[in-house]
Amino acid sequence: MGNQLDRITHLNYSELPTGDPSGIEKDELRVGVAYFFSDEEEDLDDRGQSERYTVRDPSPSECEGHILLNEIEFSAFSCQECIFSKLRGSQDLSVYPMQGLLTFCKPGDLLELIFICPTADHSLPPSPHWAVYIGQGQIIHLHHGEIRKDNVFEVGGGCMGRVVSGWYRYRPLTAELVLQNACGHLGLRSDEICWTNSESFAAWCRFGNREFKAGGEVQSDNLQYFLKLHLEENNIHTMRFHSLEELIREKRNLDASGKLRVIKELSMMENKE
């Protein structure tokens, strides 16, 4: 499956409430060459939707105006420290129409845009698109190999979205510094860009950690990342990586594949073993 480096099943790590206490990386590693990767989810103008998402039946307590998706839930660990959590049991994973979403967005928030409306085109849709909200309906994001500022309705007019600022467990920067990071990279293109996708760029803006940059990881034999796929109540599949950047790319590939397809592929793999 894409960038999977190793696979371990049913690791029993406990999620920890804290993340990297360092905040900004003051001695940030400077990579000697710039990296550019085509962002696999950036073709937002060619939106075709497969059966990746299905809508869960709402509970009587759910408010009108948002929906819940039957999607893969994830948690990620650096060694035994939880650094990322997208779990329905502890977080609200509801998605909202753009107009409703912006009523509770604040400058410096991270947004995830998801196109979920079905069409006759059953090709795989793009992965969820991440952006930094800067206020007044404007976002800064990595799109088509460029760091750009756009109106969120022009980019995600047919999308649902949610605030994902709290999914990573690293210590966030102040809103002022988040906006400074985002605005300071406006206009960069192609080989000037050192992020592989919109999520890595948006997360770097908010947290400042060099691990979000391609090639920014300090390599160590002792450093390992684990991505846990929470597919069903008692079905947890764990994958191992050597860098956060590789983990994020694989997580996004899995998101684009869809929960049902991932469960089917994992079942086929297990039957072959």
Side-chain angles (χ1 to χ4, degrees), residues 8-14 226 228 236-240:
I8 307 172
T9 56
H10 305 296
L11 293 183
N12 295 317
Y13 290 130
S14 298
F226 299 92
K228 299 176 71 171
I236 299 177
H237 179 81
T238 304
M239 307 169 72
R240 183 170 64 192

Side-chain angles (χ1 to χ4, degrees), residues 42-88:
E42 300 309 326
D43 295 326
L44 297 179
D45 298 326
D46 302 320
R47 303 179 183 117
Q49 179 59 39
S50 69
E51 297 174 351
R52 177 179 66 182
Y53 294 120
T54 54
V55 179
R56 298 177 70 247
D57 293 331
S59 68
S61 62
E62 288 173 9
C63 300
E64 196 173 328
H66 69 274
I67 62 174
L68 288 173
L69 305 176
N70 185 23
E71 56 187 326
I72 304 175
E73 297 173 41
F74 298 99
S75 58
F77 297 80
S78 175
C79 297
Q80 295 189 32
E81 181 179 40
C82 184
I83 60 171
F84 178 91
S85 178
K86 176 191 174 183
L87 298 173
R88 198 175 309 280

